[in-house]
Amino acid sequence: MANTSEGLLTVDEDSTIVFANPAVERILGYQPNELVGQPLLTLVPDRLDQQHTRAFQQYIETGERQMDWDDVDFPARHKDGHEVPVSIRFREHSHDGQRLFTGILRDNTDREKRRNELERYEDIITHLPEGIYRTEACSGGTFVEGNTALREMLDVTSMEALLQQGPADFYADPDERQIFQERLREDGVISDEELKVQTATGETIWTSITAIRREEQGEVYIDGVAEDITERKEREERLRAFREAVEQAGHSIYMTDTDGTIEYVNPAFEDITGYSEEEACGETPRLLSSGEHNDEFYADLWETIRSGEVWQGEVTNQRKTGERYVVNQTIAPVTDDDGEIERFVAVSADITDQKERERTLERQRVALERVKQITDSLRPLNRALAQAPTRDEIEQVVCEQLAASDAYLFAWYGDYIPEREQVTPQEWAEIEDECLDDFAVTTNEGDSVRGPVGRAVHSCDVQAARNILTDPLSESLHKNALDGGYQSSAAIPVAFDGTVYGVIGVYSDRPNAFDEYEQGLLRELGERIGHAIYAAENERLLHTDTVVELEFKTSSAESIFVRVSEELDCRLELKTIVPTSENAYLCYTSVDGVSPEAVATKLSSSPVVENPRVVDATGTSGTVEYKVSQSPVTTLLEYGATVTSAIIESGDETVVGEIAPDADSRKIISGIQAAYPDTTFIAKRSVDRPVRSINLTQDALDELLTDRQREVLELAYRAGFFESPRCSTGDELADALGITSPTFYLHVRKATRKVLEQIDEIGLFD
């Protein structure tokens, strides 16, 4: 008995509990030992104490029952205080001469629930004015009763037609009908069962069915109430679809109550912000604050949505990782049927990448505008350069045009003096004279304090301080920049063929100006100005009848040619020197007193000489070809002079050059002596240039060339032999003349050489 699933209670004549089995704990929460010795009234609610006490006492004394003790239903008091519907059936017996009463205690909670439901649905059937019906209990039973609302719901034309059919005729799914019938047989009642029904016209609707199986006068019927819930199901479907859309949306969505406490977030919110639903719910949107927006920004937002309007704008938020991101956010109030705000919903599209693209496009737009501004500024400068005849005018027009442009505030031009390692401003525009001090530069390549001007000279490239106010290397210029209103500057070397003539300083009020593209434009400008200066100097020298001749003699070991002549005891004479594109000069030098091979070998050991080769050699004389990047001759050329003679013999090198009368000879002299310390300035003299003319008349050509040489040369010229590409080859012309190819080439070379020798005699090559 102790292991039965039903509760057992035994009481004595004093209504004291003397036994309880473990099942009592499941029903009423008391352990058996807690009840033994307690009065039975422990399990009876206070309001029923007297009734139970009188009934039990009368039964003991007289055997008469005020209550049906065979099956008593009453609400028992659970240990935690709530009431449990139970039934108990007592039977009297004796033990050791003691009169005892043992009862079986059953939990009637489920039965009571069904009874309440039955009463509720009976009330529904009684009072609900629509969708009420009665059918026979058998599975194929027809409607016995039905109201107008049911007929209209099922689209049946008349009540007579309805009563000829049964529920089985309207089930959309036969399997659901079978399940419904079985449950009704088992439970006797079904509450709010949702079924899909097909009406008489074929339309499918949703219904909520509440049905009761009941017996009347030996017949079993089913009474039911049918409610059309199609609208509700459609709303639920829309809600489900909306929820799926929200859950799967790529936009971050969250909802808050009217105080701003987050109540819901979708998965995209978690992905974008890094905060899980558990972390976000209960917090406010301040969780995402980046500090980018001020209090007025948020005050305006709240004022807008609390007034019932939608707020939309860009917000910079912060992810859980601390990374900032930008969203296009829409916050809308959600109202109830009375128009009162219940909550707020926020939809945020992450536009961080879009904003970065916009910033990139804006930077590109600004850069293009700046490029246009700069090119527009440089265009008139290029025209002015073409018209400036002298170096002084070139320097002046450069400063004026740069300062007058929209791109720059002011500019200056300074000459570079190599021997003093100094750049001295010569021309300036839009700047006060006292603001220009000498710019000292250093030759120490490792000197970290060298400014842009010094770096420009030594690198022969544009150097920029793009943001002087924040650049620690430009700290010494901070005050000047603040006073002058500029934020960036650039130093542009003016050079041609490796010779630095000077430096242009330009200044801008744009922070981070002089990017790589702008530096490229200024680099080209510096090269054009250098070429213009070089051309102006040579033009002046070419058109003057009187020139200044400078003569130097050096025994400096810094010159490789001095060392070679001394070590080999030979004589070297420069015949031709031509600048190349590699910042070097191609030279042809005659050798006398030693084999040209020995000279070429010696020259090959020097770092300033490249690719020495013997052009021709006859014993102890001949010609050597080489490229040189540094020598007394190249230094003189870099100062704009024209070298007319260079002879090196027995450890002494004598160089003669011509300069224009108004050229700065002192600068050239000090520059040569600074580069080659053991150099003596021999003489400075004015020289009248002889008038040179070319007189290659018909008679002169007849004297120079044989008839055959003239015929071959004229034929080669007329047939396009000297064109590129050639219109006729040497073999074709040889065939036309009826001679061999070697004979043709021999005549062409001899004739060409004779013409060139005549030109050299005239002095055109000097």
Side-chain angles (χ1 to χ4, degrees), residues 291-526:
E292 179 74 17
H293 307 289
N294 56 27
D295 293 341
E296 289 76 10
F297 176 87
Y298 292 108
D300 174 69
L301 185 156
W302 278 106
E303 182 180 353
T304 301
I305 61 177
R306 281 175 174 159
S307 67
E309 298 179 5
V310 175
W311 183 91
Q312 186 171 7
E314 292 183 2
V315 183
T316 300
N317 286 335
Q318 183 170 290
R319 308 184 205 274
K320 184 179 179 180
T321 59
E323 177 189 5
R324 289 191 173 191
Y325 66 103
V326 184
V327 295
N328 189 353
Q329 189 169 66
T330 300
I331 305 177
V334 179
T335 58
D336 58 18
D337 294 338
D338 297 327
E340 297 295 326
I341 297 175
E342 289 185 325
R343 55 181 55 85
F344 301 104
V345 59
V347 181
S348 303
D350 188 346
I351 58 171
T352 306
D353 292 341
Q354 173 190 327
K355 296 299 289 185
E356 182 57 36
R357 287 194 297 272
E358 289 176 358
R359 284 192 289 269
T360 299
L361 289 174
E362 178 62 18
R363 287 195 295 268
Q364 291 173 347
R365 185 191 65 78
V366 171
L368 287 174
E369 287 184 355
R370 185 171 65 251
V371 168
K372 182 178 183 302
Q373 182 188 52
I374 294 168
T375 53
D376 288 347
S377 300
L378 297 182
R379 191 174 293 115
L381 174 55
N382 292 329
R383 290 195 297 266
L385 280 177
Q387 298 171 359
T390 67
R391 178 171 180 172
D392 290 343
E393 290 180 83
I394 290 172
E395 295 172 359
Q396 182 180 6
V397 77
V398 165
C399 292
E400 290 176 351
Q401 291 290 337
L402 287 174
S405 74
D406 294 331
Y408 308 113
L409 293 175
F410 56 89
W412 56 264
Y413 179 92
D415 281 339
Y416 172 53
I417 306 171
E419 65 276 11
R420 289 162 52 192
E421 285 297 334
Q422 195 171 63
V423 172
T424 304
Q426 300 296 319
E427 297 287 343
W428 51 88
E430 299 298 327
I431 186 173
E432 299 297 331
D433 298 1
E434 59 269 15
C435 296
L436 291 168
D437 296 326
D438 291 349
F439 289 82
V441 294
T442 174
T443 57
N444 183 359
E445 295 294 333
D447 192 347
S448 61
V449 301
R450 180 191 300 159
V453 173
R455 294 197 300 271
V457 168
H458 288 277
S459 67
C460 207
D461 199 1
V462 175
Q463 301 294 324
R466 300 195 60 203
N467 200 327
I468 294 173
L469 299 180
T470 60
D471 184 1
L473 294 178
S474 304
E475 186 175 355
S476 60
L477 302 176
H478 286 187
K479 184 178 185 305
N480 291 340
L482 291 172
D483 293 341
Y486 59 89
Q487 297 193 52
S488 53
S489 68
I492 310 163
V494 175
F496 181 75
D497 275 344
T499 299
V500 178
Y501 295 108
V503 175
I504 301 170
V506 289
Y507 299 79
S508 172
D509 57 0
R510 294 174 283 129
N512 299 312
F514 305 108
D515 58 14
E516 185 175 347
Y517 188 86
E518 186 173 355
Q519 289 186 41
L521 293 176
L522 296 177
R523 183 181 304 111
E524 293 176 5
L525 174 64

Side-chain angles (χ1 to χ4, degrees), residues 39-50 52 74-77:
L40 183 60
L41 291 180
T42 302
L43 305 179
V44 178
D46 293 342
R47 68 178 188 279
L48 301 177
D49 279 357
Q50 293 183 1
H52 279 264
F74 70 97
R77 183 162 53 194

